[in-house]
C-alpha cells in the first residue's frame, strides 16, 4: 500500500504548490508568467536542498507500474475487457447525445454520421487493444516469470501479451476527466470565459480570482501525476527529471490549438499536440536523424504549424 | 417647467422602483459622482446624458454593484439596499447592458446568456440543451431573425451581440435595466433594432436607465432626461417639456434652461 501513500501525498503536495502559486497570481496580482518562472527556479532549488543533490532510486514495484513497459501494463484479458467497456461507453455517449438533441427539438446530425463516428471509434479502440495484445513480453523476462511461477514453457516460447500500459490508461482517464471538467462543468465554462474576456466574467458575478486559483490547483495535481509517471519510468528521481519539458508542454498545447491570448484550446487538442510532437521526435530519431537536426526540424515545425493556423484563421475570418 | 424635482406625470402617486439618493463616489481625490440623486419608475426610460467623464457610467456602476458608492442611499422598491456586488444587483432584478464589455467573445450566445448562472443537471453537469432552448425562446421574442446559437459571439454582428446581452437581462426577469451606450458601436440598421428592443422592454413594464452620447437616441426613447455635468446633476427634465437645444445647453454649459443667457445659447451653434 505504500505506493498509494506516495502517490497520494505527491498529488496533495502538487495541489498545495499549485494553490500557492495560484494564490499569488489571483489574489496578489503578480503576472502568472513571472510566478511560474519564479516557482520553477525556487521549487527546483527546494528539491535540490531536500535531496542533498543526490538522485532518489529504488522505487516500489507497484508504483513502478505507473511507468509502463511490459511490467507496467494490464495484460491481455484486462485489455480486452477495457476495450469492450470503452466501446460500450462510446456508443452510449453517442446515443445519449442524440437523445438530448432530440428532446429539445434541435437539428440532428444525420444518422449515418453518428453511426460512422461510432463504428470508427469502436474500431480504433479494438484495433489498439489487438495491437497492444500482439506485443509480448521479452523472452528473457517471460522465461524468468515462468520459472518463478512454475509455469511450463510451451514450444516456440512463452507469449505473454503486454496489453495497455498503465500510464496510457492514466492518460486516457485524465483526458476524460479534464474534458468533462472543461466542457461540461461550470468551472470549465468560467475558465474559458475568463480567458475570453476577464471583465465580462467578473461583471457576470463570477468569482474570477477563485477560478484562477482553482486552475492552478488543477495544474499542480496534473504536474504531480506527470512527475509520478516520470519517476516510475526512470525507477528513480534525478535532480533534472522533467528538465526543460515545460517547453515541450507549451509546444504541445500550442500545436494542439491553444491560444496564448486565452480562451481558446481543448484538452484532446493538447493531447493530440503532444502525440504529434513526440511522434515527430521518435520518427526522426528512428530514421537516424541526429539530436541537433531533430531540434531544428521540430522547432521549425512548431512555428510553421502555429503560423499556418493563424494564417488560416485570418483568411477564414474566424472559425 | 419642472426641474430638479420631477416625478413624471405618468408616474404620479407611485413609488419609483429605484431611487438613488445623494450618491458620492470618489477615485482617490477625484470626485467622480458628487451628491447625485436620480430615480426611475416602472415602464419608464430615463436618459442619462453628459459629457465625457461627467460621471454617468460611474453612477450606474454604483447601481449595478460593479463599483459600490462611498456614501448615499439606494432604494429599490421602497427599501434601502446595499448593493455590494453584481450578484446582489441581479438578485434585485437589476441587469446591466454594457457597450462592449459584457460578453465572453469566445463563447456561444447561450453560454453568454447564462454566464455565471448556468443551468446544471442533477449531477452538476452543464445543461447546454436547456440553456440553448431557453435562449431560442427569449430570442424568438426579441429578435426572431437571430441565428447562430452555436457559434462564438465574436462571429456575430454588433446588433446581434447587443441582442444577446439584452436577452440575458430579459431572461432573468430584469425589472431595472441599465444600458450603457447600447448603440455606440452599431450601424444605423442595428441601432434601429436596439431602439425597437428598448421600446418593447419599456412596454413590458421594465424601467431603463439609458446612458448615451447620442442626443437623438435619448430624445427618441426617454421619458425623462437627467443631465450630469462635472460629477453633479444639473437637472432632470421631462422630455416633452424641452428641446434638444435645452438639453445640449445643460450638457455643455452645466446650467438648467432658465439660467442660460441668449448669448450662451447662440454660442452653442
Amino acid at each position: 500500500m505504500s505506493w498509494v501513500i506516495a502517490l497520494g501525498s505527491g498529488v496533495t503536495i502538487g495541489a498545495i504548490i499549485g494553490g500557492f502559486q495560484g494564490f499569488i497570481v489571483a489574489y496578489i496580482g503578480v503576472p502568472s508568467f513571472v510566478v511560474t518562472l519564479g516557482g520553477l527556479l525556487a521549487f527546483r532549488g527546494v528539491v535540490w536542498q531536500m535531496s542533498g543533490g543526490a538522485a532518489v532510486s529504488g522505487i516500489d514495484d507497484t508504483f513502478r507500474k505507473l511507468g509502463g513497459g511490459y511490467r507496467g501494463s494490464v495484460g491481455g484479458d484486462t485489455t480486452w475487457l477495457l476495450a469492450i467497456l470503452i466501446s460500450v461507453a462510446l456508443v452510449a455517449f453517442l446515443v445519449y447525445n442524440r437523445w438530448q438533441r432530440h428532446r429539445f427539438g434541435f437539428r440532428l446530425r444525420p444518422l449515418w454520421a453518428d453511426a460512422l463516428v461510432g463504428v470508427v471509434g469502436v474500431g480504433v479502440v479494438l484495433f489498439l487493444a489487438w495491437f497492444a495484445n500482439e506485443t509480448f513480453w521479452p523472452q528473457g523476462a517471460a522465461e524468468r516469470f515462468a520459472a518463478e511461477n512454475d509455469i511450463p514453457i510451451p514450444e516456440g516460447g512463452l507469449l505473454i501479451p503486454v496489453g495497455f500500459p498503465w500510464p496510457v490508461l492514466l492518460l486516457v482517464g485524465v483526458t476524460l476527466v479534464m474534458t468533462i471538467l472543461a466542457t461540461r462543468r461550470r468551472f470549465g465554462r468560467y475558465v474559458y470565459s475568463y480567458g475570453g474576456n476577464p471583465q465580462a466574467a467578473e461583471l457576470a458575478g463570477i468569482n474570477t480570482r477563485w477560478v484562477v486559483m482553482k486552475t492552478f490547483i488543477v495544474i499542480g495535481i496534473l504536474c504531480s501525476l506527470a512527475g509520478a509517471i516520470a519517476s516510475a519510468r526512470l525507477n528513480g528521481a534525478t535532480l533534472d527529471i522533467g528538465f526543460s519539458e515545460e517547453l515541450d508542454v507549451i509546444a504541445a498545447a500550442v500545436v494542439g490549438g491553444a491560444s496564448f491570448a486565452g480562451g481558446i484550446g481543448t484538452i484532446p487538442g493538447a493531447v493530440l499536440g503532444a502525440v504529434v510532437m513526440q511522434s515527430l521526435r521518435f520518427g526522426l530519431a528512428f530514421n537516424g536523424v541526429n539530436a541537433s537536426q531533430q531540434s531544428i526540424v521540430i522547432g521549425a515545425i512548431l512555428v510553421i504549424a502555429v503560423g499556418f493556423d493563424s494564417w488560416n484563421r485570418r483568411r477564414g475570418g474566424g472559425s | 417647467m419642472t426641474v430638479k424635482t420631477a416625478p413624471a406625470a405618468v408616474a404620479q402617486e407611485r413609488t419609483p422602483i429605484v431611487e438613488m439618493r445623494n450618491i458620492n463616489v470618489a477615485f482617490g481625490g477625484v470626485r467622480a459622482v458628487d451628491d447625485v440623486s436620480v430615480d426611475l419608475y416602472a415602464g419608464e426610460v430615463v436618459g442619462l446624458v453628459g459629457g465625457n467623464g461627467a460621471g454617468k457610467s460611474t453612477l450606474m456602476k454604483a447601481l449595478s454593484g460593479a463599483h459600490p458608492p462611498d456614501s448615499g442611499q439606494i432604494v429599490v422598491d421602497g427599501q434601502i439596499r446595499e448593493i455590494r456586488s453584481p450578484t446582489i444587483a441581479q438578485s434585485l432584478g437589476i441587469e446591466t447592458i454594457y457597450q462592449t464589455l459584457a460578453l465572453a467573445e469566445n463563447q456561444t450566445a447561450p453560454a453568454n446568456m447564462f454566464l455565471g448562472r448556468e443551468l446544471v443537471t442533477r449531477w452538476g453537469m452543464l445543461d447546454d440543451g436547456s440553456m440553448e432552448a431557453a435562449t431560442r425562446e427569449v430570442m424568438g421574442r426579441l429578435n426572431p431573425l437571430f441565428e447562430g446559437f452555436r457559434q462564438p459571439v465574436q462571429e456575430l454582428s454588433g446588433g446581434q451581440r447587443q441582442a444577446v446581452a439584452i436577452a440575458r437581462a430579459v431572461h432573468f426577469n430584469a425589472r431595472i435595466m441599465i444600458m450603457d451606450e447600447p448603440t455606440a458601436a452599431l450601424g444605423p440598421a442595428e441601432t434601429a433594432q436596439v431602439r425597437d428592443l428598448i421600446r418593447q422592454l419599456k412596454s413590458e413594464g421594465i424601467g431603463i436607465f439609458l446612458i448615451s452620447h447620442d442626443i437623438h437616441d435619448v430624445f427618441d426613447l426617454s421619458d425623462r432626461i437627467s443631465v450630469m455635468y462635472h460629477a453633479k446633476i444639473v437637472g432632470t427634465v421631462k422630455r416633452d417639456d424641452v428641446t434638444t437645444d435645452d438639453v445640449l445647453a445643460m450638457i455643455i454649459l452645466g446650467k438648467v434652461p432658465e439660467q442660460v443667457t441668449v448669448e450662451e445659447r447662440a454660442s452653442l451653434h
Side-chain angles (χ1 to χ4, degrees), chain B residues 20 66 77 88 97 129 157 209 219:
Chain B
M20 300 181 78
D77 292 324
I88 296 173
I97 287 132
S157 74
F209 274 121
F219 256 79

Side-chain angles (χ1 to χ4, degrees), chain B residues 89-130:
Chain B
Q90 287 168 355
S91 72
L92 294 171
I94 302 169
E95 297 277 344
T96 312
I97 287 132
Y98 298 91
Q99 181 187 153
T100 52
L101 301 176
L103 298 178
E105 302 284 325
N106 57 342
Q107 301 276 27
T108 61
N112 268 294
M113 202 170 102
F114 285 91
L115 191 59
R117 288 176 286 195
E118 288 77 7
L119 302 178
V120 291
T121 64
R122 231 170 328 151
W123 312 96
M125 298 290 171
L126 293 174
D127 191 350
D128 280 321
S130 298

Side-chain angles (χ1 to χ4, degrees), chain A:
Chain A
M1 285 312 276
S2 63
W3 72 275
V4 177
I5 299 168
L7 189 60
S9 42
V11 168
T12 310
I13 291 170
I16 291 170
I17 293 176
F20 174 71
Q21 301 272 87
F23 179 83
I24 298 175
V25 172
Y27 291 90
I28 300 177
V30 183
S32 56
F33 181 78
V34 174
V35 175
T36 305
L37 189 61
L40 175 66
L41 294 169
F43 287 113
R44 276 209 181 272
V46 170
V47 170
W48 195 341
Q49 284 270 324
M50 286 171 66
S51 66
V56 179
S57 65
I59 285 183
D60 178 86
D61 272 342
T62 317
F63 191 89
R64 277 182 66 191
K65 283 184 188 295
L66 275 178
Y70 63 92
R71 280 191 180 280
S73 299
V74 295
D77 297 341
T78 317
T79 297
W80 281 120
L81 185 67
L82 282 171
I84 290 165
L85 284 178
I86 293 170
S87 301
V88 170
L90 183 69
V91 171
F93 175 75
L94 286 172
V95 171
Y96 173 78
N97 251 2
R98 221 183 148 71
W99 174 72
Q100 276 284 320
R101 296 185 55 77
H102 176 73
R103 188 157 72 94
F104 290 106
F106 299 154
R107 201 148 33 89
L108 291 172
R109 266 194 300 198
L111 191 60
W112 63 263
D114 273 337
L116 187 70
V117 171
V119 168
V120 169
V122 169
V124 167
V125 171
L126 293 181
F127 170 78
L128 288 175
W130 171 81
F131 183 77
N133 281 345
E134 279 301 294
T135 315
F136 300 103
W137 284 37
Q139 262 326 297
E143 277 162 22
R144 236 176 300 133
F145 178 79
E148 281 166 20
N149 293 287
D150 289 329
I151 303 171
I153 296 177
E155 241 173 273
L158 181 62
L159 295 178
I160 308 176
V162 168
F164 289 142
W166 279 109
V168 171
L169 292 177
L170 189 63
L171 168 71
V172 171
V174 165
T175 307
L176 197 66
V177 169
M178 288 307 297
T179 302
I180 290 172
L181 203 57
T183 61
R184 313 291 328 144
R185 307 288 302 187
R186 280 199 172 130
F187 170 67
R189 179 140 301 172
Y190 294 168
V191 169
Y192 278 99
S193 302
Y194 184 80
N197 187 345
Q199 245 170 322
E202 180 99 48
L203 289 170
I206 296 169
N207 187 348
T208 52
R209 287 164 193 262
W210 178 223
V211 168
V212 170
M213 187 164 154
K214 274 198 283 191
T215 311
F216 274 83
I217 293 174
V218 169
I219 291 299
I221 291 170
L222 294 182
C223 287
S224 69
L225 291 178
I229 292 175
S231 55
R233 219 168 111 84
L234 208 62
N235 189 22
T238 56
L239 271 185
D240 65 346
I241 197 166
F243 192 76
S244 90
E245 273 174 21
E246 53 280 353
L247 300 178
D248 288 347
V249 170
I250 296 172
V254 168
V255 167
S259 153
F260 276 115
I264 295 171
T266 62
I267 304 291
V271 173
L272 208 64
V275 169
V276 167
M277 293 307 275
Q278 286 307 310
S279 305
L280 200 61
R281 204 180 279 273
F282 279 126
L284 289 172
F286 194 73
N287 286 302
V289 178
N290 66 31
S292 58
Q293 286 164 339
Q294 282 177 33
S295 279
I296 295 170
V297 172
I298 289 171
I301 285 181
L302 173 66
V303 175
I304 291 168
V306 176
F308 179 76
D309 181 53
S310 42
W311 174 75
N312 204 24
R313 255 175 235 258
R314 257 202 315 280
R315 202 190 47 155
S319 64

Side-chain angles (χ1 to χ4, degrees), chain B residues 91-225:
Chain B
S91 72
L92 294 171
I94 302 169
E95 297 277 344
T96 312
I97 287 132
Y98 298 91
Q99 181 187 153
T100 52
L101 301 176
L103 298 178
E105 302 284 325
N106 57 342
Q107 301 276 27
T108 61
N112 268 294
M113 202 170 102
F114 285 91
L115 191 59
R117 288 176 286 195
E118 288 77 7
L119 302 178
V120 291
T121 64
R122 231 170 328 151
W123 312 96
M125 298 290 171
L126 293 174
D127 191 350
D128 280 321
S130 298
M131 289 194 268
E132 189 179 328
T135 310
R136 285 179 186 273
E137 192 264 315
V138 176
M139 275 303 179
R141 246 164 67 208
L142 295 179
N143 190 351
L145 296 177
F146 187 89
E147 276 298 323
F149 290 93
R150 295 283 170 79
Q151 65 213 82
V153 294
Q154 66 196 359
E155 292 169 18
L156 302 177
S157 74
Q160 287 173 323
R161 276 191 275 191
Q162 206 57 272
V164 172
I166 292 172
R168 169 156 80 193
V170 170
H171 176 78
F172 287 101
N173 299 319
R175 296 173 308 124
I176 300 145
M177 261 189 222
I178 302 164
M179 296 197 178
D180 194 346
E181 303 275 0
T183 59
L186 306 182
E190 295 175 328
T191 299
Q193 224 176 58
V194 172
R195 284 186 187 188
D196 286 343
L197 268 177
I198 292 175
R199 283 194 202 95
Q200 193 187 335
L201 298 172
K202 186 177 132 132
S203 70
E204 290 178 13
I206 295 169
I208 298 171
F209 274 121
L210 176 68
I211 300 180
S212 185
H213 269 102
D214 184 342
I215 198 81
H216 300 291
D217 250 5
V218 171
F219 256 79
D220 199 27
L221 296 166
S222 307
D223 299 298
R224 287 185 296 146
I225 300 168

Side-chain angles (χ1 to χ4, degrees), chain A residues 203, chain B residues 20 23 25 27 32-33 36 38 47-69 96-101 178-182 184 209-213 226-229 231-233:
Chain A
L203 289 170
Chain B
M20 300 181 78
I23 301 292
V25 182
F27 295 115
V33 173
V36 170
V38 290
L48 201 53
V49 296
N52 281 324
K56 315 178 295 278
S57 292
T58 310
L59 180 67
M60 287 299 109
K61 278 181 182 157
L63 181 59
S64 69
H67 189 102
T96 312
I97 287 132
Y98 298 91
Q99 181 187 153
T100 52
L101 301 176
I178 302 164
M179 296 197 178
D180 194 346
E181 303 275 0
F209 274 121
L210 176 68
I211 300 180
S212 185
H213 269 102
S226 291
V227 182
M228 288 186 74
Y229 181 79
K232 289 183 192 295
I233 198 108

